[in-house]
PDB file of all heavy atoms in Angstrom:
ATOM      1  N   PRO A  28       0.816  -1.205   0.011  1.00 97.00           N
ATOM      2  CA  PRO A  28       0.025   0.011   0.009  1.00 97.00           C
ATOM      3  C   PRO A  28       0.843   1.279   0.017  1.00 97.00           C
ATOM      4  O   PRO A  28       1.762   1.420   0.823  1.00 97.00           O
ATOM      5  CB  PRO A  28      -0.812  -0.105   1.266  1.00 97.00           C
ATOM      6  CG  PRO A  28      -0.469  -1.419   1.851  1.00 97.00           C
ATOM      7  CD  PRO A  28       0.567  -2.078   1.121  1.00 97.00           C
ATOM      8  N   ALA A  29       0.547   2.177  -0.899  1.00 97.00           N
ATOM      9  CA  ALA A  29       1.339   3.411  -0.981  1.00 97.00           C
ATOM     10  C   ALA A  29       1.249   4.204   0.300  1.00 97.00           C
ATOM     11  O   ALA A  29       2.218   4.942   0.727  1.00 97.00           O
ATOM     12  CB  ALA A  29       0.852   4.262  -2.119  1.00 97.00           C
ATOM     13  N   ALA A  30       0.126   4.055   1.043  1.00 96.00           N
ATOM     14  CA  ALA A  30       0.030   4.814   2.254  1.00 96.00           C
ATOM     15  C   ALA A  30       0.914   4.348   3.321  1.00 96.00           C
ATOM     16  O   ALA A  30       1.073   5.037   4.315  1.00 96.00           O
ATOM     17  CB  ALA A  30      -1.492   4.664   2.716  1.00 96.00           C
ATOM     18  N   LYS A  31       1.564   3.228   3.154  1.00 97.00           N
ATOM     19  CA  LYS A  31       2.464   2.679   4.188  1.00 97.00           C
ATOM     20  C   LYS A  31       3.923   2.579   3.596  1.00 97.00           C
ATOM     21  O   LYS A  31       4.721   1.818   4.173  1.00 97.00           O
ATOM     22  CB  LYS A  31       2.011   1.303   4.628  1.00 97.00           C
ATOM     23  CG  LYS A  31       0.695   1.378   5.460  1.00 97.00           C
ATOM     24  CD  LYS A  31       0.242   0.064   6.011  1.00 97.00           C
ATOM     25  CE  LYS A  31      -0.902   0.202   6.928  1.00 97.00           C
ATOM     26  NZ  LYS A  31      -1.382  -1.028   7.535  1.00 97.00           N
ATOM     27  N   LEU A  32       4.196   3.354   2.588  1.00 98.00           N
ATOM     28  CA  LEU A  32       5.511   3.390   2.075  1.00 98.00           C
ATOM     29  C   LEU A  32       6.269   4.641   2.390  1.00 98.00           C
ATOM     30  O   LEU A  32       5.589   5.729   2.363  1.00 98.00           O
ATOM     31  CB  LEU A  32       5.562   3.155   0.531  1.00 98.00           C
ATOM     32  CG  LEU A  32       5.312   1.717   0.058  1.00 98.00           C
ATOM     33  CD1 LEU A  32       5.239   1.661  -1.455  1.00 98.00           C
ATOM     34  CD2 LEU A  32       6.398   0.795   0.574  1.00 98.00           C
ATOM     35  N   ASP A  33       7.451   4.583   2.727  1.00 98.00           N
ATOM     36  CA  ASP A  33       8.329   5.757   3.002  1.00 98.00           C
ATOM     37  C   ASP A  33       9.623   5.539   2.215  1.00 98.00           C
ATOM     38  O   ASP A  33      10.543   4.882   2.637  1.00 98.00           O
ATOM     39  CB  ASP A  33       8.612   5.764   4.486  1.00 98.00           C
ATOM     40  CG  ASP A  33       9.665   6.818   4.912  1.00 98.00           C
ATOM     41  OD1 ASP A  33       9.752   7.877   4.245  1.00 98.00           O
ATOM     42  OD2 ASP A  33      10.418   6.495   5.814  1.00 98.00           O
ATOM     43  N   ILE A  34       9.678   6.132   1.024  1.00 98.00           N
ATOM     44  CA  ILE A  34      10.761   5.854   0.024  1.00 98.00           C
ATOM     45  C   ILE A  34      11.686   7.152  -0.033  1.00 98.00           C
ATOM     46  O   ILE A  34      11.211   8.201  -0.312  1.00 98.00           O
ATOM     47  CB  ILE A  34      10.187   5.543  -1.351  1.00 98.00           C
ATOM     48  CG1 ILE A  34       9.263   4.379  -1.312  1.00 98.00           C
ATOM     49  CG2 ILE A  34      11.370   5.257  -2.362  1.00 98.00           C
ATOM     50  CD1 ILE A  34       8.486   4.048  -2.589  1.00 98.00           C
ATOM     51  N   LYS A  35      13.027   6.874   0.212  1.00 98.00           N
ATOM     52  CA  LYS A  35      13.948   7.966   0.216  1.00 98.00           C
ATOM     53  C   LYS A  35      15.057   7.724  -0.770  1.00 98.00           C
ATOM     54  O   LYS A  35      15.744   6.676  -0.686  1.00 98.00           O
ATOM     55  CB  LYS A  35      14.399   8.237   1.612  1.00 98.00           C
ATOM     56  CG  LYS A  35      13.340   8.481   2.632  1.00 98.00           C
ATOM     57  CD  LYS A  35      13.911   8.870   3.960  1.00 98.00           C
ATOM     58  CE  LYS A  35      12.741   8.949   4.996  1.00 98.00           C
ATOM     59  NZ  LYS A  35      11.699   9.887   4.616  1.00 98.00           N
ATOM     60  N   PHE A  36      15.240   8.634  -1.703  1.00 98.00           N
ATOM     61  CA  PHE A  36      16.398   8.635  -2.613  1.00 98.00           C
ATOM     62  C   PHE A  36      17.472   9.577  -2.055  1.00 98.00           C
ATOM     63  O   PHE A  36      17.252  10.739  -1.806  1.00 98.00           O
ATOM     64  CB  PHE A  36      15.962   9.126  -4.029  1.00 98.00           C
ATOM     65  CG  PHE A  36      14.856   8.357  -4.624  1.00 98.00           C
ATOM     66  CD1 PHE A  36      13.573   8.925  -4.691  1.00 98.00           C
ATOM     67  CD2 PHE A  36      14.977   7.063  -5.101  1.00 98.00           C
ATOM     68  CE1 PHE A  36      12.558   8.256  -5.264  1.00 98.00           C
ATOM     69  CE2 PHE A  36      13.959   6.337  -5.614  1.00 98.00           C
ATOM     70  CZ  PHE A  36      12.703   6.931  -5.714  1.00 98.00           C
ATOM     71  N   LEU A  37      18.612   9.011  -1.856  1.00 98.00           N
ATOM     72  CA  LEU A  37      19.704   9.729  -1.174  1.00 98.00           C
ATOM     73  C   LEU A  37      20.749  10.215  -2.241  1.00 98.00           C
ATOM     74  O   LEU A  37      21.420   9.317  -2.878  1.00 98.00           O
ATOM     75  CB  LEU A  37      20.391   8.839  -0.123  1.00 98.00           C
ATOM     76  CG  LEU A  37      19.411   7.989   0.725  1.00 98.00           C
ATOM     77  CD1 LEU A  37      20.146   7.152   1.702  1.00 98.00           C
ATOM     78  CD2 LEU A  37      18.467   8.981   1.529  1.00 98.00           C
ATOM     79  N   LEU A  38      20.878  11.525  -2.381  1.00 97.00           N
ATOM     80  CA  LEU A  38      21.721  12.036  -3.438  1.00 97.00           C
ATOM     81  C   LEU A  38      22.873  12.841  -2.818  1.00 97.00           C
ATOM     82  O   LEU A  38      22.717  13.364  -1.705  1.00 97.00           O
ATOM     83  CB  LEU A  38      20.937  12.999  -4.361  1.00 97.00           C
ATOM     84  CG  LEU A  38      19.644  12.446  -5.023  1.00 97.00           C
ATOM     85  CD1 LEU A  38      19.124  13.453  -5.961  1.00 97.00           C
ATOM     86  CD2 LEU A  38      19.941  11.148  -5.715  1.00 97.00           C
ATOM     87  N   GLU A  39      24.009  12.859  -3.476  1.00 95.00           N
ATOM     88  CA  GLU A  39      25.119  13.775  -3.087  1.00 95.00           C
ATOM     89  C   GLU A  39      24.888  15.155  -3.534  1.00 95.00           C
ATOM     90  O   GLU A  39      24.170  15.392  -4.520  1.00 95.00           O
ATOM     91  CB  GLU A  39      26.438  13.206  -3.587  1.00 95.00           C
ATOM     92  CG  GLU A  39      26.807  11.855  -3.073  1.00 95.00           C
ATOM     93  CD  GLU A  39      27.200  11.848  -1.566  1.00 95.00           C
ATOM     94  OE1 GLU A  39      27.500  12.923  -1.093  1.00 95.00           O
ATOM     95  OE2 GLU A  39      27.118  10.742  -0.960  1.00 95.00           O
ATOM     96  N   ALA A  40      25.456  16.093  -2.826  1.00 93.00           N
ATOM     97  CA  ALA A  40      25.147  17.526  -3.130  1.00 93.00           C
ATOM     98  C   ALA A  40      25.598  17.925  -4.522  1.00 93.00           C
ATOM     99  O   ALA A  40      24.958  18.842  -5.060  1.00 93.00           O
ATOM    100  CB  ALA A  40      25.900  18.396  -2.053  1.00 93.00           C
ATOM    101  N   ASP A  41      26.606  17.362  -5.040  1.00 93.00           N
ATOM    102  CA  ASP A  41      27.120  17.798  -6.409  1.00 93.00           C
ATOM    103  C   ASP A  41      26.491  17.020  -7.531  1.00 93.00           C
ATOM    104  O   ASP A  41      26.942  17.095  -8.680  1.00 93.00           O
ATOM    105  CB  ASP A  41      28.625  17.761  -6.430  1.00 93.00           C
ATOM    106  CG  ASP A  41      29.170  16.305  -6.296  1.00 93.00           C
ATOM    107  OD1 ASP A  41      28.386  15.391  -5.911  1.00 93.00           O
ATOM    108  OD2 ASP A  41      30.376  16.010  -6.610  1.00 93.00           O
ATOM    109  N   ASP A  42      25.558  16.149  -7.291  1.00 94.00           N
ATOM    110  CA  ASP A  42      24.950  15.235  -8.299  1.00 94.00           C
ATOM    111  C   ASP A  42      23.749  15.902  -8.904  1.00 94.00           C
ATOM    112  O   ASP A  42      22.587  15.428  -8.710  1.00 94.00           O
ATOM    113  CB  ASP A  42      24.661  13.915  -7.720  1.00 94.00           C
ATOM    114  CG  ASP A  42      24.287  12.889  -8.736  1.00 94.00           C
ATOM    115  OD1 ASP A  42      24.400  13.186  -9.953  1.00 94.00           O
ATOM    116  OD2 ASP A  42      23.938  11.739  -8.410  1.00 94.00           O
ATOM    117  N   GLU A  43      23.902  17.003  -9.630  1.00 94.00           N
ATOM    118  CA  GLU A  43      22.796  17.706 -10.197  1.00 94.00           C
ATOM    119  C   GLU A  43      22.093  16.899 -11.289  1.00 94.00           C
ATOM    120  O   GLU A  43      20.889  17.033 -11.496  1.00 94.00           O
ATOM    121  CB  GLU A  43      23.277  19.071 -10.737  1.00 94.00           C
ATOM    122  CG  GLU A  43      22.248  19.894 -11.446  1.00 94.00           C
ATOM    123  CD  GLU A  43      21.024  20.206 -10.636  1.00 94.00           C
ATOM    124  OE1 GLU A  43      21.185  20.268  -9.318  1.00 94.00           O
ATOM    125  OE2 GLU A  43      19.917  20.335 -11.136  1.00 94.00           O
ATOM    126  N   GLU A  44      22.840  16.120 -11.992  1.00 95.00           N
ATOM    127  CA  GLU A  44      22.236  15.339 -13.089  1.00 95.00           C
ATOM    128  C   GLU A  44      21.196  14.336 -12.566  1.00 95.00           C
ATOM    129  O   GLU A  44      20.069  14.282 -13.181  1.00 95.00           O
ATOM    130  CB  GLU A  44      23.349  14.571 -13.904  1.00 95.00           C
ATOM    131  CG  GLU A  44      22.816  13.761 -15.083  1.00 95.00           C
ATOM    132  CD  GLU A  44      23.924  13.011 -15.746  1.00 95.00           C
ATOM    133  OE1 GLU A  44      25.100  13.058 -15.226  1.00 95.00           O
ATOM    134  OE2 GLU A  44      23.610  12.369 -16.785  1.00 95.00           O
ATOM    135  N   THR A  45      21.494  13.620 -11.531  1.00 95.00           N
ATOM    136  CA  THR A  45      20.476  12.669 -11.001  1.00 95.00           C
ATOM    137  C   THR A  45      19.323  13.444 -10.391  1.00 95.00           C
ATOM    138  O   THR A  45      18.156  12.999 -10.490  1.00 95.00           O
ATOM    139  CB  THR A  45      21.147  11.765  -9.936  1.00 95.00           C
ATOM    140  OG1 THR A  45      22.279  11.105 -10.540  1.00 95.00           O
ATOM    141  CG2 THR A  45      20.177  10.665  -9.453  1.00 95.00           C
ATOM    142  N   ALA A  46      19.578  14.514  -9.671  1.00 95.00           N
ATOM    143  CA  ALA A  46      18.529  15.342  -9.133  1.00 95.00           C
ATOM    144  C   ALA A  46      17.588  15.878 -10.170  1.00 95.00           C
ATOM    145  O   ALA A  46      16.380  15.829 -10.059  1.00 95.00           O
ATOM    146  CB  ALA A  46      19.141  16.554  -8.350  1.00 95.00           C
ATOM    147  N   ALA A  47      18.114  16.236 -11.349  1.00 95.00           N
ATOM    148  CA  ALA A  47      17.314  16.724 -12.432  1.00 95.00           C
ATOM    149  C   ALA A  47      16.459  15.578 -13.011  1.00 95.00           C
ATOM    150  O   ALA A  47      15.267  15.827 -13.404  1.00 95.00           O
ATOM    151  CB  ALA A  47      18.225  17.326 -13.534  1.00 95.00           C
ATOM    152  N   ALA A  48      16.976  14.366 -13.035  1.00 95.00           N
ATOM    153  CA  ALA A  48      16.245  13.255 -13.484  1.00 95.00           C
ATOM    154  C   ALA A  48      14.966  12.998 -12.644  1.00 95.00           C
ATOM    155  O   ALA A  48      13.919  12.612 -13.120  1.00 95.00           O
ATOM    156  CB  ALA A  48      17.061  11.991 -13.607  1.00 95.00           C
ATOM    157  N   PHE A  49      15.138  13.182 -11.315  1.00 95.00           N
ATOM    158  CA  PHE A  49      13.985  13.047 -10.404  1.00 95.00           C
ATOM    159  C   PHE A  49      13.038  14.211 -10.549  1.00 95.00           C
ATOM    160  O   PHE A  49      11.763  14.050 -10.511  1.00 95.00           O
ATOM    161  CB  PHE A  49      14.443  12.916  -8.992  1.00 95.00           C
ATOM    162  CG  PHE A  49      14.964  11.554  -8.650  1.00 95.00           C
ATOM    163  CD1 PHE A  49      16.268  11.355  -8.331  1.00 95.00           C
ATOM    164  CD2 PHE A  49      14.077  10.510  -8.575  1.00 95.00           C
ATOM    165  CE1 PHE A  49      16.760  10.078  -7.988  1.00 95.00           C
ATOM    166  CE2 PHE A  49      14.479   9.222  -8.204  1.00 95.00           C
ATOM    167  CZ  PHE A  49      15.805   9.027  -7.868  1.00 95.00           C
ATOM    168  N   ARG A  50      13.551  15.412 -10.755  1.00 92.00           N
ATOM    169  CA  ARG A  50      12.663  16.582 -10.854  1.00 92.00           C
ATOM    170  C   ARG A  50      11.793  16.490 -12.135  1.00 92.00           C
ATOM    171  O   ARG A  50      10.759  17.146 -12.232  1.00 92.00           O
ATOM    172  CB  ARG A  50      13.448  17.849 -10.880  1.00 92.00           C
ATOM    173  CG  ARG A  50      14.067  18.300  -9.468  1.00 92.00           C
ATOM    174  CD  ARG A  50      14.450  19.736  -9.474  1.00 92.00           C
ATOM    175  NE  ARG A  50      15.462  19.998 -10.473  1.00 92.00           N
ATOM    176  CZ  ARG A  50      16.740  19.928 -10.211  1.00 92.00           C
ATOM    177  NH1 ARG A  50      17.240  19.559  -8.978  1.00 92.00           N
ATOM    178  NH2 ARG A  50      17.700  20.145 -11.169  1.00 92.00           N
ATOM    179  N   ALA A  51      12.238  15.727 -13.130  1.00 91.00           N
ATOM    180  CA  ALA A  51      11.489  15.660 -14.405  1.00 91.00           C
ATOM    181  C   ALA A  51      10.240  14.890 -14.217  1.00 91.00           C
ATOM    182  O   ALA A  51       9.359  14.983 -15.138  1.00 91.00           O
ATOM    183  CB  ALA A  51      12.463  14.985 -15.445  1.00 91.00           C
ATOM    184  N   THR A  52      10.084  14.112 -13.121  1.00 89.00           N
ATOM    185  CA  THR A  52       8.848  13.378 -12.952  1.00 89.00           C
ATOM    186  C   THR A  52       8.177  13.822 -11.673  1.00 89.00           C
ATOM    187  O   THR A  52       8.854  13.683 -10.564  1.00 89.00           O
ATOM    188  CB  THR A  52       9.165  11.856 -12.863  1.00 89.00           C
ATOM    189  OG1 THR A  52       9.875  11.452 -14.076  1.00 89.00           O
ATOM    190  CG2 THR A  52       7.915  11.045 -12.689  1.00 89.00           C
ATOM    191  N   PRO A  53       6.979  14.330 -11.648  1.00 89.00           N
ATOM    192  CA  PRO A  53       6.311  14.662 -10.411  1.00 89.00           C
ATOM    193  C   PRO A  53       6.102  13.449  -9.596  1.00 89.00           C
ATOM    194  O   PRO A  53       5.636  12.353 -10.050  1.00 89.00           O
ATOM    195  CB  PRO A  53       4.911  15.243 -10.882  1.00 89.00           C
ATOM    196  CG  PRO A  53       5.185  15.610 -12.297  1.00 89.00           C
ATOM    197  CD  PRO A  53       6.185  14.635 -12.830  1.00 89.00           C
ATOM    198  N   LEU A  54       6.495  13.499  -8.269  1.00 93.00           N
ATOM    199  CA  LEU A  54       6.403  12.340  -7.403  1.00 93.00           C
ATOM    200  C   LEU A  54       5.463  12.595  -6.173  1.00 93.00           C
ATOM    201  O   LEU A  54       5.520  13.749  -5.626  1.00 93.00           O
ATOM    202  CB  LEU A  54       7.820  12.014  -6.888  1.00 93.00           C
ATOM    203  CG  LEU A  54       8.816  11.583  -7.922  1.00 93.00           C
ATOM    204  CD1 LEU A  54      10.263  11.414  -7.327  1.00 93.00           C
ATOM    205  CD2 LEU A  54       8.402  10.329  -8.633  1.00 93.00           C
ATOM    206  N   PRO A  55       4.667  11.635  -5.804  1.00 94.00           N
ATOM    207  CA  PRO A  55       3.833  11.799  -4.628  1.00 94.00           C
ATOM    208  C   PRO A  55       4.645  11.825  -3.414  1.00 94.00           C
ATOM    209  O   PRO A  55       5.851  11.535  -3.385  1.00 94.00           O
ATOM    210  CB  PRO A  55       2.903  10.603  -4.720  1.00 94.00           C
ATOM    211  CG  PRO A  55       3.596   9.623  -5.550  1.00 94.00           C
ATOM    212  CD  PRO A  55       4.426  10.355  -6.529  1.00 94.00           C
ATOM    213  N   ALA A  56       4.015  12.079  -2.221  1.00 94.00           N
ATOM    214  CA  ALA A  56       4.741  12.313  -0.959  1.00 94.00           C
ATOM    215  C   ALA A  56       5.533  11.070  -0.482  1.00 94.00           C
ATOM    216  O   ALA A  56       6.379  11.211   0.377  1.00 94.00           O
ATOM    217  CB  ALA A  56       3.778  12.817   0.061  1.00 94.00           C
ATOM    218  N   ARG A  57       5.082   9.847  -0.889  1.00 96.00           N
ATOM    219  CA  ARG A  57       5.809   8.702  -0.438  1.00 96.00           C
ATOM    220  C   ARG A  57       7.218   8.619  -0.938  1.00 96.00           C
ATOM    221  O   ARG A  57       8.091   7.933  -0.369  1.00 96.00           O
ATOM    222  CB  ARG A  57       5.044   7.399  -0.753  1.00 96.00           C
ATOM    223  CG  ARG A  57       5.061   7.045  -2.232  1.00 96.00           C
ATOM    224  CD  ARG A  57       4.281   5.724  -2.435  1.00 96.00           C
ATOM    225  NE  ARG A  57       4.213   5.305  -3.814  1.00 96.00           N
ATOM    226  CZ  ARG A  57       3.348   5.615  -4.743  1.00 96.00           C
ATOM    227  NH1 ARG A  57       2.453   6.487  -4.410  1.00 96.00           N
ATOM    228  NH2 ARG A  57       3.424   5.137  -5.982  1.00 96.00           N
ATOM    229  N   PHE A  58       7.499   9.384  -1.991  1.00 97.00           N
ATOM    230  CA  PHE A  58       8.845   9.516  -2.545  1.00 97.00           C
ATOM    231  C   PHE A  58       9.512  10.807  -2.046  1.00 97.00           C
ATOM    232  O   PHE A  58       8.877  11.849  -2.198  1.00 97.00           O
ATOM    233  CB  PHE A  58       8.847   9.494  -4.089  1.00 97.00           C
ATOM    234  CG  PHE A  58       8.300   8.307  -4.717  1.00 97.00           C
ATOM    235  CD1 PHE A  58       6.949   8.232  -5.144  1.00 97.00           C
ATOM    236  CD2 PHE A  58       9.144   7.149  -4.963  1.00 97.00           C
ATOM    237  CE1 PHE A  58       6.533   7.115  -5.792  1.00 97.00           C
ATOM    238  CE2 PHE A  58       8.637   6.036  -5.528  1.00 97.00           C
ATOM    239  CZ  PHE A  58       7.366   5.974  -5.961  1.00 97.00           C
ATOM    240  N   GLU A  59      10.673  10.630  -1.459  1.00 97.00           N
ATOM    241  CA  GLU A  59      11.389  11.874  -0.938  1.00 97.00           C
ATOM    242  C   GLU A  59      12.798  11.873  -1.457  1.00 97.00           C
ATOM    243  O   GLU A  59      13.495  10.878  -1.383  1.00 97.00           O
ATOM    244  CB  GLU A  59      11.353  11.771   0.584  1.00 97.00           C
ATOM    245  CG  GLU A  59      11.902  13.032   1.272  1.00 97.00           C
ATOM    246  CD  GLU A  59      11.791  12.945   2.748  1.00 97.00           C
ATOM    247  OE1 GLU A  59      11.222  11.953   3.272  1.00 97.00           O
ATOM    248  OE2 GLU A  59      12.212  13.871   3.433  1.00 97.00           O
ATOM    249  N   ILE A  60      13.217  13.009  -1.903  1.00 96.00           N
ATOM    250  CA  ILE A  60      14.603  13.195  -2.381  1.00 96.00           C
ATOM    251  C   ILE A  60      15.419  13.878  -1.260  1.00 96.00           C
ATOM    252  O   ILE A  60      15.110  14.973  -0.960  1.00 96.00           O
ATOM    253  CB  ILE A  60      14.647  13.966  -3.695  1.00 96.00           C
ATOM    254  CG1 ILE A  60      13.868  13.237  -4.772  1.00 96.00           C
ATOM    255  CG2 ILE A  60      16.095  14.213  -4.153  1.00 96.00           C
ATOM    256  CD1 ILE A  60      13.621  13.991  -6.040  1.00 96.00           C
ATOM    257  N   VAL A  61      16.423  13.205  -0.775  1.00 97.00           N
ATOM    258  CA  VAL A  61      17.224  13.734   0.345  1.00 97.00           C
ATOM    259  C   VAL A  61      18.634  14.013  -0.153  1.00 97.00           C
ATOM    260  O   VAL A  61      19.282  13.069  -0.680  1.00 97.00           O
ATOM    261  CB  VAL A  61      17.257  12.793   1.519  1.00 97.00           C
ATOM    262  CG1 VAL A  61      18.164  13.261   2.647  1.00 97.00           C
ATOM    263  CG2 VAL A  61      15.883  12.404   2.024  1.00 97.00           C
ATOM    264  N   THR A  62      19.047  15.254  -0.093  1.00 96.00           N
ATOM    265  CA  THR A  62      20.446  15.588  -0.396  1.00 96.00           C
ATOM    266  C   THR A  62      21.287  15.424   0.824  1.00 96.00           C
ATOM    267  O   THR A  62      21.103  16.168   1.793  1.00 96.00           O
ATOM    268  CB  THR A  62      20.539  17.013  -0.939  1.00 96.00           C
ATOM    269  OG1 THR A  62      19.664  17.140  -2.119  1.00 96.00           O
ATOM    270  CG2 THR A  62      21.931  17.397  -1.349  1.00 96.00           C
ATOM    271  N   VAL A  63      22.233  14.513   0.775  1.00 97.00           N
ATOM    272  CA  VAL A  63      23.160  14.263   1.940  1.00 97.00           C
ATOM    273  C   VAL A  63      24.141  15.384   2.126  1.00 97.00           C
ATOM    274  O   VAL A  63      24.737  15.784   1.133  1.00 97.00           O
ATOM    275  CB  VAL A  63      23.910  12.945   1.694  1.00 97.00           C
ATOM    276  CG1 VAL A  63      24.764  12.656   2.851  1.00 97.00           C
ATOM    277  CG2 VAL A  63      22.831  11.794   1.530  1.00 97.00           C
ATOM    278  N   PRO A  64      24.243  15.930   3.296  1.00 96.00           N
ATOM    279  CA  PRO A  64      25.175  17.012   3.515  1.00 96.00           C
ATOM    280  C   PRO A  64      26.650  16.594   3.181  1.00 96.00           C
ATOM    281  O   PRO A  64      26.993  15.447   3.309  1.00 96.00           O
ATOM    282  CB  PRO A  64      25.104  17.295   5.012  1.00 96.00           C
ATOM    283  CG  PRO A  64      23.767  16.773   5.418  1.00 96.00           C
ATOM    284  CD  PRO A  64      23.489  15.635   4.524  1.00 96.00           C
ATOM    285  N   GLU A  65      27.411  17.534   2.594  1.00 94.00           N
ATOM    286  CA  GLU A  65      28.746  17.207   2.158  1.00 94.00           C
ATOM    287  C   GLU A  65      29.574  16.780   3.414  1.00 94.00           C
ATOM    288  O   GLU A  65      29.424  17.309   4.510  1.00 94.00           O
ATOM    289  CB  GLU A  65      29.429  18.415   1.536  1.00 94.00           C
ATOM    290  CG  GLU A  65      28.818  18.822   0.235  1.00 94.00           C
ATOM    291  CD  GLU A  65      29.553  19.929  -0.481  1.00 94.00           C
ATOM    292  OE1 GLU A  65      30.540  20.351   0.039  1.00 94.00           O
ATOM    293  OE2 GLU A  65      29.018  20.427  -1.545  1.00 94.00           O
TER     294      GLU A  65
END
């Protein structure tokens, strides 16, 4: 069930290409993009 999912994508601060790939697709709240501090 989507209501019970907590999905986190962990990106490095300088990885703009991967971040842009995620931004290209609207994601519901169960998907979260977390930029890891340097």
Side-chain angles (χ1 to χ4, degrees):
K31 292 185 173 180
L32 282 177
D33 169 35
I34 304 172
K35 302 188 188 301
F36 303 108
L37 315 179
L38 309 185
E39 296 292 339
D41 64 346
D42 190 6
E43 176 57 30
E44 184 182 1
T45 306
F49 280 112
R50 287 196 299 268
T52 304
L54 297 174
R57 70 179 182 273
F58 296 100
E59 185 177 358
I60 300 170
V61 179
T62 301
V63 178
E65 292 184 6

